[in-house]
Amino acid sequence: MSVDSDGPLRLDARAPDFETAFAAFLARDRDSGADVDAVARDIVADVRRRGDAAVIEYTTRFDRIAVTPGTLRLSAAEIDAAASAAAPEARAAIEFAASRIEAYHRRLLPTDLDFVDAQGVRLGARFTALDAVGLYVPGGKAAYPSSLLMNAIPAKVAGVRRIAMVMPTPGGALDPLVMCAARVAGIDEIYRIGGAQAVAALAYGTATIAPVDKIVGPGNAYVAAAKRLVFGKVGIDLIAGPSEILVVADAANDPSWIAADLLSQAEHDEAAQSILICDDAAFADAVCRAVTGELKRLDTAERAAKSWQGNGAVILVPSLLDAAPIIDRIAAEHVELCLEPGPAETLMRRIRHAGAIFLGRHTPEAVGDYVAGTNHVLPTSRTARFSSGLGVADFLKRTSIVSCDAEALARIGPAAVTLAAAEGLPAHGRSVSIRTNRA
Amino acid sequence: MSVDSDGPLRLDARAPDFETAFAAFLARDRDSGADVDAVARDIVADVRRRGDAAVIEYTTRFDRIAVTPGTLRLSAAEIDAAASAAAPEARAAIEFAASRIEAYHRRLLPTDLDFVDAQGVRLGARFTALDAVGLYVPGGKAAYPSSLLMNAIPAKVAGVRRIAMVMPTPGGALDPLVMCAARVAGIDEIYRIGGAQAVAALAYGTATIAPVDKIVGPGNAYVAAAKRLVFGKVGIDLIAGPSEILVVADAANDPSWIAADLLSQAEHDEAAQSILICDDAAFADAVCRAVTGELKRLDTAERAAKSWQGNGAVILVPSLLDAAPIIDRIAAEHVELCLEPGPAETLMRRIRHAGAIFLGRHTPEAVGDYVAGTNHVLPTSRTARFSSGLGVADFLKRTSIVSCDAEALARIGPAAVTLAAAEGLPAHGRSVSIRTNRA
């Protein structure tokens, strides 16, 4: 184990102290420790109590804009005017991405069940869309049109009737590309509010904003805290941590390609994490040198360098194809397998825990951020062990269907009566026996 | 609107004050207000810090049993000895229920996606099981073998390799039926611990108990609070509130059958809620009289009567087939449609929000609690608006798969480069362009 002065942590799976060092690396907490719960709790309670008046006060204070109940919602003309300022090439790229996201997510739609079993019991499972979803879109620098598409399109595909979007507009400016993406996604209910106050308004409703059933979309620590607070009253999506990429690469790769991939997540945030797993120490050195070279051409170099040096890692393993247990323990948001097709396929089948897997030398993770069609909202911080990326399932719920006629109830009912008696729930048994014991 | 001295709330959808009264009824909070968070937080932190020693202290204190690290886990002989005390009829009923639950849940298994689209991009979605799940089983009176089956079997069907069960044993006694259900479900890793300390042990692990990836199963307020605290480190299932049943019945029903159904959920808990929707005031009166009669034969009458009088309701509507909007606003855990097959089917198709729907005059909800095959862990407290009952999906996660060759990347890559530039993420674009711009 060694730490290069301007490079990331290096681990060698053959070293005697690997298990200890690897476990310590996995246990690192990259989330900000900021305790914003108390502030978020006060804001949520205030909006719940005072509605629009509270929302307007917080919006004036935090976003420095003058709003009234009548101007909280953007007019169609405002949305169109902002969207029309988007460059034609960017608009075309948004439309291209949207069509691919829609096509992929349509394939994820589940099918209903409805069958009669051997005992004559009709059984089913029916999927219905949520009525209303709130979509949080961050303002300022983190206003990503791609995130809007990734959150809104699965909801539309699922059949959600109403999407209410909230987006803070610090200083009042609207991002042309975000407005363009909203138009492409078919969103026309947009409020110029953000923070915990926007989450509370969506969850509890105000005189101006009707409440929703679920709130999705990324936000800062206050937004995340507010989402946790309203969970139960409404559904929420996963709470995303800093981005992660794990690149598995053999020595046949161009080191600069791999360096570019590692930096593509490192540039998001100092807390992002980029990890290289390789089986060749000289190749690892070449990638690290290439990172230094690539950093020179990036406007985002400062953030990316801090992430790579502070949170990055290079893990040397004896065999890439046998690295699945290490990859599973990292359970990364994004895993690239930069290998020939055969080995990539083999290793992919051995990996159990990953948000998304990118196969082969020509599949940089960034295609998944924009145009592959798959969702870029993915589990971080090792939660891929138990959770999935955003999909149409997040906007559907399943209702069980059961139907017995007298004969079917006569067949399955007695066991229910026995179990109800055993559990000390006589009224459960009675509701069955009153129908089956014909006196 | 009127409140009978020994009857439930009565509402009439034709009354001028219906909307106000119905909204107030929906807004009632039936959850216990007990603030147990601070206690649960201390216990979780202590177990995280001190492991087995803390678990053993809390178990000695709360469950009054002497345990050591060596006896925290039940031996196979103990499980078998307890299970063998189950009555043969009850064992047979458990096996019958288990086989039906397994058969239904197998049908809920999703299928993987793997296809190549028109641009030559290979896209997929792969479902894999969680590695390890913790199953909480309440002790004492609420130790229900049916709940063990409903939680464990979907996990087994999903392919979960390890299920670690925890169950407090106040005073040391093991419930024969619960042990029998554990054997039938194939569970052999059982710890005699409960409360927040058991949740913490499962989430963080101790020297004796390996950590799990997700914790499911019902528990008291301390268990629920602990599950919320460890959420993020591990996954958790929905946090269940008091049971609910909504019975939609026409006047052709036998009032005593409907009364039995209403009481089958009322007997769970004083905070349970039973609601009758009907279109005939005389029939409503007959059902209320039948409830009084049925209560006389129940050992659980005291609880059931308190629930019915305190939280029950009778809602008179002009047309049952037009009652879907009212039913949807209640979004009940269980909905019975005690109607002829045609009208039941019609109304079922109009309902959007319900945990489970039971169709026809011979489908008491209790069959769903035990032997229908569907899951009895269902969303309560109006959360059926946005969430589903437990199923195999809760024990699976989905990994997206993307693969491009050079040609496919050349087709979809340029739009990604455009969007990355527009979003100010140059390294994202570079990871694509470095592969597509052949110098």
Side-chain angles (χ1 to χ4, degrees):
Chain A
M1 178 172 159
S2 66
V3 181
D4 197 327
S5 65
D6 63 348
L9 178 71
R10 292 186 74 143
L11 300 173
D12 186 332
R14 284 159 298 201
D17 69 346
F18 174 73
E19 177 53 35
T20 308
F22 185 51
F25 174 69
L26 291 178
R28 279 193 202 171
D29 187 353
R30 289 175 295 125
D31 284 324
S32 84
D35 187 6
V36 300
D37 278 2
V39 175
R41 192 179 294 273
D42 287 347
I43 293 174
V44 169
D46 194 22
V47 170
R48 190 175 178 184
R49 194 172 56 241
R50 295 197 298 129
D52 281 338
V55 171
I56 287 171
E57 278 180 29
Y58 291 115
T59 302
T60 305
R61 187 189 313 169
F62 297 133
D63 298 336
R64 307 172 307 282
I65 57 170
V67 276
T68 66
T71 61
L72 276 179
R73 181 169 172 175
L74 274 65
S75 70
E78 275 181 290
I79 300 170
D80 286 337
S84 69
E89 192 192 357
R91 167 183 291 272
I94 286 171
E95 286 169 352
F96 179 75
S99 69
R100 292 188 57 81
I101 297 164
E102 180 179 344
Y104 177 80
H105 284 78
R106 281 207 181 283
R107 299 220 186 203
L108 287 178
L109 280 168
T111 46
D112 289 353
L113 274 183
D114 191 348
F115 64 98
V116 176
D117 74 7
Q119 282 83 14
V121 182
R122 176 180 170 192
L123 295 167
R126 194 183 54 169
F127 293 89
T128 46
L130 277 62
D131 281 344
V133 167
L135 168 53
Y136 193 97
V137 175
K141 281 180 298 181
Y144 294 144
S146 60
S147 289
L148 189 157
L149 299 179
M150 293 290 178
N151 281 279
I153 292 174
K156 287 277 182 183
V157 168
V160 172
R161 298 168 180 186
R162 172 178 166 236
I163 299 179
M165 174 174 149
V166 294
M167 182 184 57
T169 58
L174 296 174
D175 184 283
L177 284 182
V178 170
M179 291 298 106
C180 176
R183 277 294 186 230
V184 168
I187 295 175
D188 57 13
E189 183 181 345
I190 306 176
Y191 302 93
R192 62 183 105 238
I193 60 175
Q197 59 274 21
V199 172
L202 289 170
Y204 293 102
T206 71
T208 302
I209 304 171
V212 301
D213 299 305
K214 184 166 186 169
I215 301 173
V216 301
N220 64 18
Y222 294 93
V223 172
K227 281 165 72 177
R228 278 184 188 271
L229 288 169
V230 299
F231 174 58
K233 165 68 178 162
V234 298
I236 61 169
D237 59 350
L238 50 87
I239 296 191
S243 294
E244 302 155 358
I245 188 169
L246 167 57
V247 182
V248 179
D250 61 22
N253 284 280
D254 183 330
S256 61
W257 292 18
I258 304 304
D261 298 353
L262 293 167
L263 291 173
S264 74
Q265 294 308 301
E267 76 174 338
H268 267 297
D269 188 342
E270 286 177 30
Q273 181 163 67
S274 302
I275 302 172
L276 170 66
I277 291 185
C278 64
D279 57 359
D280 185 309
F283 177 74
D285 292 339
V287 171
C288 290
R289 282 193 302 273
V291 165
T292 305
E294 285 289 320
L295 278 169
K296 291 185 182 129
R297 46 187 302 152
L298 290 183
D299 289 343
T300 52
E302 191 179 336
R303 270 204 313 263
K306 282 186 181 164
S307 161
W308 175 241
Q309 287 154 21
N311 292 307
V314 174
I315 303 175
L316 204 63
V317 297
S319 156
L320 294 178
L321 287 185
D322 295 330
I326 288 176
I327 296 167
D328 278 343
R329 284 178 66 186
I330 299 170
E333 181 186 16
H334 307 107
V335 175
E336 281 186 15
L337 304 180
C338 298
L339 305 169
E340 288 299 305
E345 188 78 18
T346 300
L347 183 51
M348 183 266 276
R349 293 183 186 282
R350 291 179 181 173
I351 295 170
R352 296 176 48 78
H353 308 314
I357 300 177
F358 301 85
L359 294 170
R361 305 197 192 283
H362 287 84
T363 318
E365 182 281 324
V367 299
D369 285 332
Y370 296 113
V371 294
T374 51
N375 209 290
H376 80 197
V377 181
L378 293 166
T380 58
S381 308
R382 303 190 63 224
T383 59
R385 292 175 294 120
F386 56 81
S387 61
S388 310
L390 199 70
V392 292
D394 296 283
F395 301 102
L396 296 168
K397 64 270 187 330
R398 179 175 34 79
T399 298
S400 306
I401 310 285
V402 182
S403 183
C404 293
D405 56 16
E407 294 69 34
L409 185 62
R411 287 185 204 106
I412 70 168
V417 175
T418 299
L419 288 168
E423 292 188 351
L425 296 171
H428 282 65
R430 172 72 173 164
S431 71
V432 176
S433 62
I434 199 171
R435 288 170 164 89
T436 52
N437 295 343
R438 303 298 174 84
Chain B
M1 176 172 162
S2 66
V3 182
D4 196 327
S5 65
D6 63 347
L9 179 71
R10 291 186 74 144
L11 300 173
D12 186 334
R14 283 159 299 200
D17 68 346
F18 175 73
E19 177 53 36
T20 308
F22 185 52
F25 174 68
L26 291 179
R28 279 193 202 171
D29 187 354
R30 290 175 295 126
D31 284 325
S32 84
D35 186 7
V36 300
D37 278 2
V39 175
R41 192 180 295 272
D42 286 348
I43 294 174
V44 169
D46 195 22
V47 170
R48 189 174 179 184
R49 194 172 57 242
R50 297 196 298 130
D52 281 337
V55 171
I56 287 171
E57 278 180 27
Y58 292 114
T59 302
T60 306
R61 188 190 313 169
F62 298 132
D63 298 336
R64 307 172 308 281
I65 57 170
V67 276
T68 66
T71 62
L72 276 179
R73 181 169 172 177
L74 274 65
S75 70
E78 275 180 290
I79 300 170
D80 287 336
S84 68
E89 192 192 356
R91 169 184 289 273
I94 286 171
E95 286 169 352
F96 180 74
S99 70
R100 292 187 57 82
I101 297 164
E102 180 179 343
Y104 177 79
H105 285 78
R106 281 209 180 284
R107 298 221 187 201
L108 288 177
L109 281 168
T111 45
D112 290 353
L113 275 183
D114 192 348
F115 64 98
V116 177
D117 75 6
Q119 281 84 15
V121 182
R122 176 180 169 191
L123 295 167
R126 194 183 54 167
F127 293 90
T128 47
L130 276 62
D131 281 345
V133 166
L135 168 54
Y136 193 97
V137 174
K141 281 179 297 180
Y144 295 143
S146 61
S147 288
L148 189 157
L149 300 179
M150 293 291 177
N151 281 278
I153 293 174
K156 287 276 181 182
V157 168
V160 172
R161 297 168 181 187
R162 174 179 166 237
I163 299 179
M165 174 174 148
V166 294
M167 181 185 57
T169 60
L174 296 174
D175 183 283
L177 285 182
V178 171
M179 291 300 106
C180 177
R183 276 296 187 227
V184 169
I187 296 175
D188 58 13
E189 184 181 345
I190 305 176
Y191 302 94
R192 61 183 105 238
I193 59 175
Q197 59 274 21
V199 173
L202 289 170
Y204 293 103
T206 70
T208 302
I209 304 171
V212 301
D213 299 306
K214 183 166 186 167
I215 301 173
V216 301
N220 64 19
Y222 295 93
V223 172
K227 281 164 73 178
R228 279 184 189 270
L229 288 168
V230 301
F231 174 59
K233 166 67 178 163
V234 297
I236 61 170
D237 58 351
L238 49 88
I239 295 193
S243 295
E244 301 155 358
I245 188 170
L246 167 56
V247 181
V248 180
D250 60 22
N253 284 280
D254 182 331
S256 60
W257 292 18
I258 303 305
D261 298 354
L262 292 167
L263 291 173
S264 74
Q265 294 308 301
E267 76 173 339
H268 267 298
D269 188 342
E270 287 177 30
Q273 182 162 67
S274 301
I275 302 172
L276 170 66
I277 291 185
C278 64
D279 57 358
D280 184 309
F283 178 75
D285 291 339
V287 170
C288 289
R289 282 193 302 272
V291 165
T292 305
E294 285 289 320
L295 278 170
K296 290 186 183 128
R297 46 187 302 151
L298 289 184
D299 289 345
T300 52
E302 190 180 336
R303 269 202 316 261
K306 282 186 180 163
S307 162
W308 175 240
Q309 287 155 19
N311 292 307
V314 174
I315 303 175
L316 204 62
V317 297
S319 155
L320 295 178
L321 287 185
D322 294 331
I326 288 176
I327 296 167
D328 278 344
R329 284 178 66 186
I330 298 170
E333 182 186 15
H334 308 107
V335 175
E336 281 186 15
L337 304 180
C338 298
L339 306 169
E340 288 300 306
E345 189 78 20
T346 300
L347 183 52
M348 183 266 276
R349 292 183 186 283
R350 292 179 181 172
I351 296 170
R352 295 175 50 78
H353 308 314
I357 300 177
F358 300 86
L359 292 171
R361 305 199 192 281
H362 288 84
T363 319
E365 182 281 325
V367 300
D369 285 333
Y370 295 113
V371 293
T374 51
N375 208 291
H376 81 198
V377 181
L378 293 167
T380 58
S381 309
R382 303 188 64 223
T383 58
R385 291 175 296 121
F386 56 81
S387 62
S388 309
L390 198 71
V392 292
D394 295 283
F395 302 102
L396 296 168
K397 63 271 187 329
R398 179 174 35 78
T399 298
S400 306
I401 310 285
V402 182
S403 183
C404 294
D405 57 17
E407 293 70 31
L409 185 62
R411 286 185 204 107
I412 70 168
V417 175
T418 299
L419 287 168
E423 292 187 351
L425 296 171
H428 282 65
R430 172 71 173 166
S431 71
V432 175
S433 62
I434 199 172
R435 287 168 164 91
T436 51
N437 296 342
R438 303 297 176 84

